[in-house]
Amino acid sequence: MSYINRVHKTNNIAVIGSGFSGMAASAVLAKNGSNVTVYEKNADTGGRARTFESDGFIFDMGPSWYWMPDVYESYYQLFGHTTSDFYELTKLDPGFAVVFGEGEVWDIPADFDAICTLFENVETGAADKLRKFIAEGEFKYMVGMNDMVYKPGHSVTEFFSFKLFKDALKLQLFTSFSKHVRRFFKDPRLLALLEFPVLFLGAMPKDTPALYSLMNFSGLKQGTFYPMGGFGQVAGSFRKIAEESGVNIQTSQRVSLLEISKSYISHIHANGNCSQVDAVIGSADYQHIENTLLHEQYRSYPESYWESRTFAPSCLLFYLGVNKKIQKLRHHNLFFDQDFERHAVEIYKDKKWPSDPLFYVCCPSKTDPAVAPQGSENLFVLMPIAIGLADSDQIREQYYDLLMSRLEKFAGEDIRSHVVFKRSYATKDFIHDYNAYKGNAYGLANTLMQTAIFKPKLQSKKVKNLFYAGQLTVPGPGVPPSIISGRVAAHELQKFLNR
């Protein structure tokens, strides 16, 4: 009996990892008739979108920005659901706040016309320029989301349609984001506002294609949303859909080996047990799967490849429970009161602990009373850092004091003496919990040579029935791209099974 005939008869699929890409892939495959088991090394599911509770506070451990709502809705509709089946989605107003030097604060309204007015008040003519800039971003979003991101990135021939080639000229893949945004605006505050999604999730703005102004369209025109109950509600919805579809989810299962026979995975080893499989989707860290679960001759990429890649930031996080309200904080707060360019260089070029970092504070208790005791605030403080940095408790405390001093100065009140719960999280935790290469938090940066066909391949080059999903393959970092990645990986594996 040939291997392919055996696949059609048994069709046992293993998915490694229960983040958004793994859950999406597993549910799509199960819906199409596969017998799917998810192996999750941690005690709970959700990957970086896990939550934890302490002293009446409910903390989201990772994602906190809900952009691109259409991506979530499209996924839910595959299974006959809609977003409101799982959680109430609230549009934030202001969407977020930006803190500049000398305590200057901009509230970014939910209404796009009001944002245009804000721009005009800063720079004459900027309102019309913003409308044009966002219209271009919307075009890129529609082409990107409808025609490009659902392609598996196997080959450049995927993009060889006349329409897509014509549209690609307008996507500005070969123009830098930094150069593009400076065609429209001069004020450094406007530039920082538009470049922050690139810095926090991607790369140096000068190394990022102008294609990614599509993120500005999503953030400023579509708006910023919040799932009531926290992002854990979103992760929980993906688990519910997977379970409804018949996926077998196994937690506290550490995969130790993918056993290969004649260039196919035949068995998966986890917690000392061995199970026969017909295919595997690895939604855990790509480099970890290659370098730890496969013998060297079956690895698609040598260690030198990963060393040469440009990674998006890691981060230092603090989860804080505060037993009073902090009046000046909004739900999302970006602290750009220090030099933007210097911090970017220290993340991507010099790769050291930052001297005067930018940082972000999420205070979901401003919107959602369920995440903190009455009269208290739930704070999530994030500082982007380079991957691979030495991580010690002493360094964490040093930056805690630095960030809290700046936060207290902005707030105009004492916060530290009111902190009743505190937990830090950084490089070594990303490595321990997610086997993340050098403690990366978001995956590969969105540089031109790491976009689409230039990312690590979704299908293994050496093992025929091994596919990958998640932030280190197409389409890239962030929750919506991870959801899409899981769908694309499942589709490609299904085609493989049906050959």
Side-chain angles (χ1 to χ4, degrees):
M1 181 185 297
S2 73
Y3 179 83
I4 296 301
N5 286 336
R6 183 168 63 81
V7 166
H8 281 298
K9 288 186 67 175
T10 55
N11 202 4
N12 293 317
I13 312 298
V15 175
I16 304 172
S18 69
F20 284 106
S21 65
M23 284 303 196
S26 67
V28 170
L29 287 165
K31 180 175 181 286
N32 289 330
S34 293
N35 176 26
V36 184
T37 300
V38 171
Y39 293 82
E40 169 55 54
K41 70 177 284 292
N42 293 312
D44 45 5
T45 59
R48 285 164 169 79
R50 293 179 301 153
T51 63
F52 71 92
E53 298 184 30
S54 182
D55 303 325
F57 297 92
I58 302 173
F59 294 99
D60 286 320
M61 294 188 69
S64 60
W65 292 82
Y66 196 110
W67 283 0
M68 305 183 183
D70 47 305
V71 174
Y72 299 85
E73 180 64 19
S74 172
Y75 177 75
Y76 292 139
Q77 288 182 3
L78 289 177
F79 302 90
H81 285 296
T82 189
T83 304
S84 60
D85 291 343
F86 302 107
Y87 45 86
E88 176 190 350
L89 200 57
T90 299
K91 190 172 186 178
L92 300 181
D93 192 8
F96 54 97
V98 187
V99 180
F100 296 107
E102 306 305 320
E104 181 182 12
V105 184
W106 289 7
D107 282 323
I108 308 304
D111 178 70
F112 181 64
D113 287 335
I115 298 175
C116 292
T117 300
L118 185 156
F119 271 57
E120 186 68 24
N121 289 338
V122 173
E123 194 171 284
T124 302
D128 288 340
K129 290 178 180 178
L130 180 63
R131 289 187 176 94
K132 182 179 179 183
F133 179 84
I134 293 299
E136 290 184 7
E138 182 174 10
F139 172 81
K140 295 168 188 173
Y141 188 89
M142 296 308 169
V143 172
M145 301 310 292
N146 293 323
D147 297 334
M148 293 185 69
V149 296
Y150 287 92
K151 295 187 180 299
H154 295 318
S155 165
V156 71
T157 59
E158 295 168 18
F159 305 94
F160 274 8
S161 72
F162 175 74
K163 179 182 182 302
L164 202 52
F165 179 76
K166 183 179 68 173
D167 289 344
L169 298 178
K170 302 177 185 177
L171 295 180
Q172 298 180 295
L173 280 168
F174 301 102
T175 301
S176 82
F177 189 98
S178 180
K179 182 178 179 181
H180 175 59
V181 75
R182 281 162 178 76
R183 285 180 46 224
F184 292 85
F185 310 104
K186 295 183 173 61
D187 190 283
R189 294 165 297 177
L190 297 180
L191 297 175
L193 169 61
L194 294 169
E195 289 182 334
F196 97 84
V198 173
L199 177 73
F200 274 61
L201 273 179
M204 294 276 288
K206 68 181 182 63
D207 296 328
T208 301
L211 164 69
Y212 290 101
S213 66
L214 63 84
M215 296 172 71
N216 299 123
F217 160 72
S218 183
L220 298 182
K221 190 74 178 287
Q222 288 183 321
T224 301
F225 296 84
Y226 173 77
M228 296 300 287
F231 229 98
Q233 300 296 315
V234 188
S237 72
F238 275 66
R239 176 168 185 156
K240 288 175 187 175
I241 287 173
E243 290 175 330
E244 287 175 1
S245 302
V247 175
N248 174 21
I249 299 171
Q250 297 190 11
T251 57
S252 300
Q253 293 288 317
R254 185 181 294 273
V255 177
S256 56
L257 177 68
L258 297 175
E259 187 177 330
I260 311 295
S261 176
K262 298 179 180 178
S263 298
Y264 290 90
I265 299 172
S266 60
H267 293 83
I268 185 169
H269 295 250
N271 288 17
N273 299 312
C274 176
S275 301
Q276 180 270 327
V277 294
D278 298 305
V280 171
I281 288 185
S283 74
D285 187 274
Y286 199 127
Q287 187 271 349
H288 165 76
I289 291 173
E290 287 238 304
N291 281 40
T292 306
L293 307 186
L294 295 174
H295 293 302
E296 187 171 359
Q297 67 266 37
Y298 298 115
R299 298 170 189 166
S300 298
Y301 302 98
E303 183 62 22
S304 59
Y305 172 85
W306 299 107
E307 287 286 346
S308 70
R309 297 301 88 186
T310 300
F311 278 79
S314 184
C315 49
L316 170 60
L317 299 164
F318 295 100
Y319 309 100
L320 306 176
V322 181
N323 67 0
K324 70 170 185 176
K325 304 304 284 186
I326 305 169
Q327 296 306 315
K328 288 189 70 174
L329 280 180
R330 314 299 194 259
H331 187 122
H332 294 299
N333 309 266
L334 295 163
F335 283 79
F336 283 6
D337 51 338
Q338 297 294 336
D339 186 79
F340 185 99
E341 178 73 14
R342 183 195 304 161
H343 191 178
V345 167
E346 290 170 340
I347 292 172
Y348 295 108
K349 303 297 183 184
D350 288 351
K351 294 187 179 179
K352 63 182 181 182
W353 284 93
S355 45
D356 292 301
L358 312 181
F359 66 104
Y360 157 65
V361 179
C362 183
C363 186
S365 47
K366 292 294 181 186
T367 304
D368 189 354
V371 300
Q374 187 174 2
S376 298
E377 300 283 30
N378 176 320
L379 300 187
F380 171 99
V381 182
L382 181 153
M383 182 182 79
I385 58 175
I387 67 165
L389 298 181
D391 175 17
S392 69
D393 292 342
Q394 181 181 0
I395 292 173
R396 295 186 188 194
E397 283 304 300
Q398 173 188 334
Y399 280 95
Y400 174 74
D401 286 334
L402 172 65
L403 300 182
M404 294 301 288
S405 292
R406 284 167 56 189
L407 178 57
E408 288 175 334
K409 180 180 178 182
F410 162 75
E413 58 182 303
D414 168 53
I415 298 173
R416 271 173 282 192
S417 67
H418 291 271
V419 172
V420 294
F421 176 84
K422 173 186 169 188
R423 177 180 174 185
S424 65
Y425 199 95
T427 306
K428 62 187 178 185
D429 299 299
F430 283 103
I431 294 170
H432 178 270
D433 288 354
Y434 310 119
N435 294 310
Y437 179 69
K438 293 190 175 181
N440 80 82
Y442 303 114
L444 289 174
N446 289 321
T447 63
L448 172 60
M449 295 310 295
Q450 293 179 172
T451 295
I453 60 170
F454 301 117
K455 288 189 182 293
K457 295 301 182 186
L458 183 142
Q459 184 173 10
S460 169
K461 299 176 183 179
K462 304 284 186 71
V463 183
K464 293 181 170 59
N465 59 343
L466 173 59
F467 292 75
Y468 291 94
Q471 60 189 17
L472 288 179
T473 185
V474 290
V479 176
S482 291
I483 296 168
I484 293 167
S485 183
R487 291 180 60 174
V488 174
H491 178 71
E492 292 302 299
L493 176 51
Q494 197 69 55
K495 287 199 303 185
F496 169 81
L497 295 171
N498 292 339
R499 289 188 316 187

